[in-house]
Amino acid sequence: MEKIKVMISSTVSDLEAERDAAKKVFEEIPLVELMGADPLNNAPIAGNPRFITTGMAKECDLYILILGNRFGYDVGNGRSATEIEFDAAIRADPTKILVFKKDSSEDPDEKQKVFIDKVSSYYNGYWRTSFKHTHDLQTYIKNAFSKWIKERASIGTSLTYLDHFVRLARQISPEPNAQVYYKVTENDVELEYVFFKKSHEIHFTRKQIYTNFWGCFNELYNQFERWLESEEGSDY
């Protein structure tokens, strides 16, 4: 049976205990293969670190990001190695990412604060689970992994970026009884929602979806509200 590839991504020296706790969760699960810096350190391979770790971020089935206060190594373009891995993961599959943040009384590095805000943006970021102790982190990871694997078992593993977008777009609607239709063209995704005897359409380009996956959903929710506001007072 092919194993589920899980990558643990974070700064290393300041989150060593947290990384170890996360690894122990998956070491107890035979069907999981761990990826990332730690396995590489135990079995070095030839190649460039950035090339290898970004490749892992793209190829892994589940990407777990653990955030602390340190920004880490700046590769020279204002991004840390961890941020580059995160960006590679989200471009491969934005639905495979889990984010955990260690609580601290100290303020994070200035660049790290910017990265944390980017990752957990309400508009186009991810839900961030905070923890204080490593045993709490283990519990949260176990629960999140169980929920994630159940969802993946129901949808399969061969979905494309656009497949995931359409799948999630069909799960939400402006009105409980709305009918949802979609069409994927060469350049965009067309969504149609039929409710209150009217048809409402919205289009997203492939580029929009690829570069701002969650932001597109935020815009979709905003459009729902505009549609509903336009219906207020009308004769259904």
Side-chain angles (χ1 to χ4, degrees):
M1 178 184 295
E2 186 175 351
K3 292 188 175 184
I4 299 170
K5 297 178 181 178
V6 176
M7 182 175 183
I8 299 171
S9 180
S10 74
T11 49
V12 178
S13 61
D14 60 320
L15 295 173
E16 188 173 351
E18 288 74 18
R19 292 176 67 91
D20 187 58
K23 284 193 300 179
K24 287 180 178 177
V25 170
F26 295 107
E27 287 172 351
E28 300 172 359
I29 306 174
L31 58 91
V32 167
E33 175 187 345
L34 283 174
M35 307 176 73
D38 294 327
L40 283 181
N41 290 335
N42 295 329
I45 59 176
N48 173 265
R50 178 172 178 174
F51 181 82
I52 294 171
T53 56
T54 54
M56 289 180 175
K58 294 175 183 177
E59 295 171 9
C60 67
D61 300 301
L62 178 63
Y63 176 90
I64 295 178
L65 176 63
I66 305 175
L67 297 166
N69 285 338
R70 286 188 64 250
F71 180 68
Y73 177 66
D74 188 329
V75 299
N77 60 357
R79 292 189 297 165
S80 67
T82 304
E83 184 172 359
I84 286 176
E85 293 169 3
F86 170 78
D87 288 343
I90 195 174
R91 286 169 182 161
D93 178 359
T95 69
K96 70 177 183 180
I97 296 173
L98 299 176
V99 180
F100 302 89
K101 169 68 171 66
K102 182 178 180 179
D103 285 340
S104 174
S105 58
E106 300 178 359
D107 293 330
D109 296 343
E110 193 59 35
K111 288 184 178 180
Q112 180 69 352
K113 184 179 183 302
V114 173
F115 179 43
I116 292 172
D117 289 344
K118 167 185 171 179
V119 170
S120 53
S121 164
Y122 182 80
Y123 178 74
N124 57 5
Y126 288 85
W127 183 271
R128 185 182 75 201
T129 301
S130 298
F131 68 94
K132 288 186 177 180
H133 308 289
T134 54
H135 63 268
D136 293 327
L137 175 62
Q138 287 183 314
T139 299
Y140 297 149
I141 289 178
K142 286 179 181 177
N143 292 341
F145 179 70
S146 177
K147 182 178 180 181
W148 176 86
I149 201 169
K150 287 178 181 178
E151 181 181 76
R152 287 295 159 135
S154 66
I155 66 175
T157 59
S158 60
L159 299 186
T160 67
Y161 210 89
L162 289 180
D163 289 335
H164 282 299
F165 181 79
V166 171
R167 174 178 65 85
L168 295 175
R170 293 179 64 192
Q171 293 177 16
I172 58 177
S173 65
E175 192 273 333
N177 296 314
Q179 295 175 292
V180 185
Y181 304 95
Y182 71 94
K183 179 180 179 182
V184 179
T185 70
E186 182 180 353
N187 298 314
D188 58 15
V189 173
E190 303 172 3
L191 298 172
E192 180 185 8
Y193 295 85
V194 180
F195 60 99
F196 302 151
K197 300 180 181 180
K198 292 184 180 180
S199 173
H200 304 266
E201 295 183 1
I202 184 171
H203 296 196
F204 294 98
T205 67
R206 287 173 178 258
K207 183 178 180 180
Q208 283 178 302
I209 296 170
Y210 183 70
T211 59
N212 195 14
F213 187 87
W214 297 116
C216 289
F217 281 102
N218 192 76
E219 174 56 28
L220 184 58
Y221 279 116
N222 290 341
Q223 185 61 61
F224 286 170
E225 293 177 1
R226 291 191 287 267
W227 287 338
L228 290 172
E229 287 173 0
S230 69
E231 293 293 340
E232 289 182 359
S234 63
D235 184 4
Y236 301 156

